[in-house]
Short mmCIF file of all heavy atoms in Angstrom, two decimals:
data_model
loop_
_atom_site.label_atom_id
_atom_site.label_comp_id
_atom_site.label_asym_id
_atom_site.label_seq_id
_atom_site.Cartn_x
_atom_site.Cartn_y
_atom_site.Cartn_z
N THR A 824 -30.30 -150.63 150.43
CA THR A 824 -30.17 -152.03 150.38
C THR A 824 -28.94 -152.65 150.91
O THR A 824 -28.73 -153.84 150.94
CB THR A 824 -30.26 -152.39 148.93
OG1 THR A 824 -29.11 -151.78 148.24
CG2 THR A 824 -31.55 -151.97 148.25
N ALA A 825 -28.08 -151.72 151.55
CA ALA A 825 -26.79 -152.17 152.22
C ALA A 825 -27.01 -153.07 153.34
O ALA A 825 -28.06 -152.80 154.09
CB ALA A 825 -25.90 -151.03 152.40
N ASP A 826 -26.09 -154.01 153.80
CA ASP A 826 -26.14 -154.88 154.99
C ASP A 826 -25.61 -154.04 156.14
O ASP A 826 -25.20 -152.91 156.01
CB ASP A 826 -25.49 -156.19 154.77
CG ASP A 826 -24.04 -155.91 154.30
OD1 ASP A 826 -23.50 -154.89 154.45
OD2 ASP A 826 -23.43 -156.98 153.82
N THR A 827 -25.24 -154.64 157.34
CA THR A 827 -24.67 -153.99 158.49
C THR A 827 -23.38 -153.53 158.37
O THR A 827 -22.88 -152.69 159.14
CB THR A 827 -24.85 -154.88 159.72
OG1 THR A 827 -24.21 -156.09 159.41
CG2 THR A 827 -26.25 -155.25 159.99
N ASP A 828 -22.66 -154.02 157.32
CA ASP A 828 -21.19 -153.66 157.21
C ASP A 828 -21.11 -152.52 156.27
O ASP A 828 -20.00 -152.15 155.87
CB ASP A 828 -20.46 -154.87 156.62
CG ASP A 828 -20.45 -156.06 157.58
OD1 ASP A 828 -20.46 -155.73 158.85
OD2 ASP A 828 -20.28 -157.17 157.17
N THR A 829 -22.21 -151.90 155.82
CA THR A 829 -22.18 -150.82 154.91
C THR A 829 -21.29 -149.63 155.34
O THR A 829 -20.48 -149.01 154.65
CB THR A 829 -23.54 -150.31 154.56
OG1 THR A 829 -24.22 -151.48 153.90
CG2 THR A 829 -23.53 -149.21 153.44
N ALA A 830 -21.50 -149.11 156.62
CA ALA A 830 -20.81 -148.03 157.09
C ALA A 830 -19.26 -148.23 157.02
O ALA A 830 -18.44 -147.33 156.71
CB ALA A 830 -21.30 -147.68 158.51
N GLU A 831 -18.87 -149.37 157.41
CA GLU A 831 -17.51 -149.86 157.46
C GLU A 831 -16.96 -149.75 155.92
O GLU A 831 -15.84 -149.25 155.77
CB GLU A 831 -17.27 -151.11 157.96
CG GLU A 831 -17.55 -151.20 159.45
CD GLU A 831 -17.42 -152.61 160.00
OE1 GLU A 831 -17.09 -153.59 159.24
OE2 GLU A 831 -17.60 -152.70 161.17
N GLN A 832 -17.81 -150.17 155.00
CA GLN A 832 -17.33 -150.09 153.61
C GLN A 832 -17.23 -148.62 153.16
O GLN A 832 -16.30 -148.39 152.38
CB GLN A 832 -18.44 -150.85 152.76
CG GLN A 832 -18.44 -152.36 153.08
CD GLN A 832 -19.55 -152.99 152.26
OE1 GLN A 832 -20.42 -152.25 151.54
NE2 GLN A 832 -19.72 -154.29 152.26
N VAL A 833 -18.12 -147.73 153.56
CA VAL A 833 -18.11 -146.41 153.16
C VAL A 833 -16.70 -145.80 153.75
O VAL A 833 -16.00 -144.99 153.02
CB VAL A 833 -19.25 -145.64 153.62
CG1 VAL A 833 -19.10 -144.09 153.37
CG2 VAL A 833 -20.48 -146.05 152.99
N VAL A 834 -16.44 -146.12 155.05
CA VAL A 834 -15.22 -145.60 155.59
C VAL A 834 -14.03 -146.04 154.83
O VAL A 834 -13.10 -145.35 154.60
CB VAL A 834 -15.14 -145.91 157.07
CG1 VAL A 834 -13.67 -145.59 157.67
CG2 VAL A 834 -16.20 -145.38 157.89
N ALA A 835 -14.12 -147.41 154.49
CA ALA A 835 -12.97 -147.98 153.70
C ALA A 835 -12.75 -147.26 152.36
O ALA A 835 -11.64 -146.99 151.91
CB ALA A 835 -13.10 -149.46 153.58
N SER A 836 -13.91 -146.92 151.70
CA SER A 836 -13.83 -146.20 150.46
C SER A 836 -13.24 -144.84 150.64
O SER A 836 -12.36 -144.43 149.86
CB SER A 836 -15.16 -146.08 149.82
OG SER A 836 -15.84 -147.35 149.69
N PHE A 837 -13.62 -144.18 151.70
CA PHE A 837 -13.04 -142.83 151.85
C PHE A 837 -11.61 -142.88 152.22
O PHE A 837 -10.80 -141.99 151.74
CB PHE A 837 -13.73 -142.03 152.99
CG PHE A 837 -15.04 -141.32 152.60
CD1 PHE A 837 -16.28 -141.64 153.03
CD2 PHE A 837 -15.02 -140.29 151.67
CE1 PHE A 837 -17.38 -140.98 152.73
CE2 PHE A 837 -16.06 -139.64 151.29
CZ PHE A 837 -17.30 -139.95 151.76
N ARG A 838 -11.14 -143.94 152.83
CA ARG A 838 -9.77 -144.06 153.29
C ARG A 838 -8.93 -144.24 152.00
O ARG A 838 -7.80 -143.78 151.86
CB ARG A 838 -9.58 -145.31 154.31
CG ARG A 838 -8.18 -145.36 154.74
CD ARG A 838 -8.00 -146.52 155.62
NE ARG A 838 -8.69 -146.25 156.98
CZ ARG A 838 -9.77 -146.91 157.30
NH1 ARG A 838 -10.25 -147.89 156.66
NH2 ARG A 838 -10.36 -146.53 158.50
N ILE A 839 -9.45 -145.06 151.04
CA ILE A 839 -8.79 -145.22 149.74
C ILE A 839 -8.58 -143.87 149.12
O ILE A 839 -7.56 -143.47 148.57
CB ILE A 839 -9.61 -146.25 148.82
CG1 ILE A 839 -9.57 -147.57 149.46
CG2 ILE A 839 -8.91 -146.18 147.39
CD1 ILE A 839 -10.46 -148.52 148.68
N LEU A 840 -9.78 -143.05 149.12
CA LEU A 840 -9.66 -141.76 148.42
C LEU A 840 -8.65 -140.78 149.11
O LEU A 840 -8.01 -139.97 148.49
CB LEU A 840 -11.05 -141.05 148.40
CG LEU A 840 -12.16 -141.72 147.61
CD1 LEU A 840 -13.47 -141.04 147.74
CD2 LEU A 840 -11.71 -141.91 146.14
N ALA A 841 -8.56 -140.98 150.41
CA ALA A 841 -7.62 -140.08 151.26
C ALA A 841 -6.27 -140.61 151.34
O ALA A 841 -5.41 -140.08 152.02
CB ALA A 841 -8.24 -139.95 152.70
N ALA A 842 -5.88 -141.78 150.61
CA ALA A 842 -4.53 -142.29 150.54
C ALA A 842 -4.19 -142.62 151.97
O ALA A 842 -3.07 -142.39 152.49
CB ALA A 842 -3.54 -141.24 150.04
N ASP A 843 -5.11 -143.42 152.69
CA ASP A 843 -4.80 -143.94 154.08
C ASP A 843 -4.70 -142.86 155.21
O ASP A 843 -4.37 -143.29 156.26
CB ASP A 843 -3.64 -144.89 154.06
CG ASP A 843 -3.92 -146.16 153.20
OD1 ASP A 843 -5.09 -146.59 153.16
OD2 ASP A 843 -2.97 -146.65 152.61
N LYS A 844 -5.00 -141.66 154.88
CA LYS A 844 -5.04 -140.65 155.93
C LYS A 844 -6.28 -140.72 156.73
O LYS A 844 -7.37 -141.14 156.16
CB LYS A 844 -4.90 -139.21 155.34
CG LYS A 844 -3.61 -138.96 154.60
CD LYS A 844 -3.39 -137.52 154.21
CE LYS A 844 -4.52 -136.98 153.39
NZ LYS A 844 -4.53 -137.54 151.97
N PRO A 845 -6.30 -140.39 158.04
CA PRO A 845 -7.52 -140.42 158.88
C PRO A 845 -8.52 -139.32 158.55
O PRO A 845 -9.46 -139.13 159.08
CB PRO A 845 -6.97 -140.33 160.30
CG PRO A 845 -5.66 -139.65 160.19
CD PRO A 845 -5.12 -140.05 158.97
N TYR A 846 -8.16 -138.43 157.66
CA TYR A 846 -9.00 -137.36 157.32
C TYR A 846 -8.85 -137.11 155.74
O TYR A 846 -7.99 -137.73 155.12
CB TYR A 846 -8.47 -135.97 158.00
CG TYR A 846 -7.00 -135.69 157.65
CD1 TYR A 846 -6.61 -134.97 156.49
CD2 TYR A 846 -5.98 -136.00 158.58
CE1 TYR A 846 -5.26 -134.78 156.24
CE2 TYR A 846 -4.73 -135.82 158.34
CZ TYR A 846 -4.37 -135.13 157.12
OH TYR A 846 -3.03 -134.88 156.86
N ILE A 847 -9.66 -136.36 155.24
CA ILE A 847 -9.76 -136.04 153.76
C ILE A 847 -9.83 -134.58 153.61
O ILE A 847 -10.53 -133.83 154.39
CB ILE A 847 -10.86 -136.84 153.08
CG1 ILE A 847 -10.66 -136.74 151.59
CG2 ILE A 847 -12.19 -136.31 153.43
CD1 ILE A 847 -11.60 -137.78 150.80
N LEU A 848 -9.27 -134.10 152.50
CA LEU A 848 -9.34 -132.66 152.03
C LEU A 848 -10.42 -132.36 151.08
O LEU A 848 -10.79 -133.17 150.38
CB LEU A 848 -8.01 -132.17 151.54
CG LEU A 848 -6.73 -132.40 152.56
CD1 LEU A 848 -5.41 -132.02 151.88
CD2 LEU A 848 -6.89 -131.54 153.89
N VAL A 849 -10.70 -131.00 151.06
CA VAL A 849 -11.82 -130.59 150.19
C VAL A 849 -11.46 -130.84 148.68
O VAL A 849 -12.26 -131.33 147.88
CB VAL A 849 -12.13 -129.12 150.41
CG1 VAL A 849 -13.16 -128.67 149.36
CG2 VAL A 849 -12.65 -128.94 151.69
N ASP A 850 -10.19 -130.50 148.42
CA ASP A 850 -9.68 -130.71 147.02
C ASP A 850 -9.79 -132.15 146.62
O ASP A 850 -10.14 -132.36 145.38
CB ASP A 850 -8.32 -130.09 146.79
CG ASP A 850 -8.24 -128.63 147.02
OD1 ASP A 850 -9.28 -128.07 146.89
OD2 ASP A 850 -7.14 -128.18 147.30
N GLU A 851 -9.42 -133.10 147.55
CA GLU A 851 -9.52 -134.50 147.24
C GLU A 851 -10.89 -134.99 146.87
O GLU A 851 -11.15 -135.78 145.98
CB GLU A 851 -8.89 -135.28 148.38
CG GLU A 851 -7.40 -135.00 148.54
CD GLU A 851 -6.78 -135.78 149.76
OE1 GLU A 851 -7.64 -135.92 150.75
OE2 GLU A 851 -5.60 -136.03 149.81
N LEU A 852 -11.81 -134.44 147.67
CA LEU A 852 -13.30 -134.75 147.44
C LEU A 852 -13.72 -134.42 146.08
O LEU A 852 -14.39 -135.16 145.31
CB LEU A 852 -14.15 -134.20 148.61
CG LEU A 852 -14.10 -134.82 149.98
CD1 LEU A 852 -14.85 -134.06 150.89
CD2 LEU A 852 -14.62 -136.22 149.91
N ARG A 853 -13.41 -133.09 145.71
CA ARG A 853 -13.79 -132.54 144.41
C ARG A 853 -13.20 -133.23 143.32
O ARG A 853 -13.69 -133.29 142.17
CB ARG A 853 -13.61 -131.01 144.44
CG ARG A 853 -14.64 -130.30 145.39
CD ARG A 853 -14.26 -128.81 145.37
NE ARG A 853 -15.34 -128.07 146.14
CZ ARG A 853 -15.16 -126.88 146.67
NH1 ARG A 853 -13.93 -126.27 146.51
NH2 ARG A 853 -16.12 -126.24 147.34
N ARG A 854 -11.94 -133.64 143.50
CA ARG A 854 -11.26 -134.35 142.41
C ARG A 854 -11.67 -135.81 142.14
O ARG A 854 -11.76 -136.24 141.07
CB ARG A 854 -9.68 -134.42 142.75
CG ARG A 854 -8.84 -134.97 141.58
CD ARG A 854 -7.35 -134.93 141.98
NE ARG A 854 -7.05 -135.75 143.10
CZ ARG A 854 -6.61 -135.28 144.27
NH1 ARG A 854 -6.50 -133.97 144.51
NH2 ARG A 854 -6.38 -136.09 145.26
N GLU A 855 -12.03 -136.45 143.23
CA GLU A 855 -12.43 -137.93 143.19
C GLU A 855 -13.86 -138.14 142.97
O GLU A 855 -14.23 -139.27 142.51
CB GLU A 855 -11.89 -138.64 144.44
CG GLU A 855 -10.31 -138.52 144.63
CD GLU A 855 -9.59 -139.28 143.57
OE1 GLU A 855 -10.17 -140.13 142.92
OE2 GLU A 855 -8.39 -138.93 143.41
N LEU A 856 -14.73 -137.31 143.44
CA LEU A 856 -16.18 -137.49 143.36
C LEU A 856 -16.91 -136.67 142.48
O LEU A 856 -16.34 -135.56 142.02
CB LEU A 856 -16.75 -137.32 144.77
CG LEU A 856 -16.34 -138.22 145.90
CD1 LEU A 856 -17.05 -137.80 147.18
CD2 LEU A 856 -16.67 -139.67 145.66
N PRO A 857 -18.12 -137.06 141.88
CA PRO A 857 -18.86 -136.18 141.06
C PRO A 857 -19.17 -134.87 141.86
O PRO A 857 -19.23 -134.85 143.02
CB PRO A 857 -20.15 -136.96 140.84
CG PRO A 857 -19.74 -138.36 141.01
CD PRO A 857 -18.71 -138.44 142.03
N PRO A 858 -19.34 -133.87 141.08
CA PRO A 858 -19.62 -132.47 141.80
C PRO A 858 -20.74 -132.41 142.80
O PRO A 858 -20.58 -131.97 143.92
CB PRO A 858 -19.90 -131.52 140.58
CG PRO A 858 -19.27 -132.17 139.38
CD PRO A 858 -19.42 -133.56 139.57
N GLU A 859 -21.79 -133.12 142.45
CA GLU A 859 -22.98 -133.07 143.43
C GLU A 859 -22.58 -133.79 144.71
O GLU A 859 -22.87 -133.31 145.83
CB GLU A 859 -24.23 -133.63 142.78
CG GLU A 859 -24.75 -132.76 141.54
CD GLU A 859 -25.90 -133.46 140.91
OE1 GLU A 859 -26.29 -134.55 141.36
OE2 GLU A 859 -26.54 -132.89 139.95
N GLN A 860 -22.04 -135.00 144.46
CA GLN A 860 -21.64 -135.75 145.71
C GLN A 860 -20.57 -135.07 146.50
O GLN A 860 -20.65 -135.07 147.76
CB GLN A 860 -21.21 -137.25 145.27
CG GLN A 860 -22.26 -138.07 144.61
CD GLN A 860 -21.78 -139.39 144.25
OE1 GLN A 860 -20.65 -139.79 144.60
NE2 GLN A 860 -22.63 -140.28 143.58
N ALA A 861 -19.58 -134.47 145.81
CA ALA A 861 -18.52 -133.77 146.54
C ALA A 861 -19.03 -132.73 147.38
O ALA A 861 -18.69 -132.57 148.59
CB ALA A 861 -17.55 -133.31 145.54
#
Side-chain angles (χ1 to χ4, degrees):
T824 58
D826 56 14
T827 56
D828 295 330
T829 300
E831 294 177 358
Q832 294 174 354
V833 172
V834 171
S836 298
F837 275 118
R838 185 176 294 111
I839 294 172
L840 297 177
D843 291 330
K844 296 190 301 290
Y846 56 83
I847 192 168
L848 300 177
V849 172
D850 292 341
E851 293 174 333
L852 287 171
R853 287 178 174 159
R854 186 178 64 249
E855 300 295 340
L856 296 179
E859 293 178 358
Q860 292 181 9

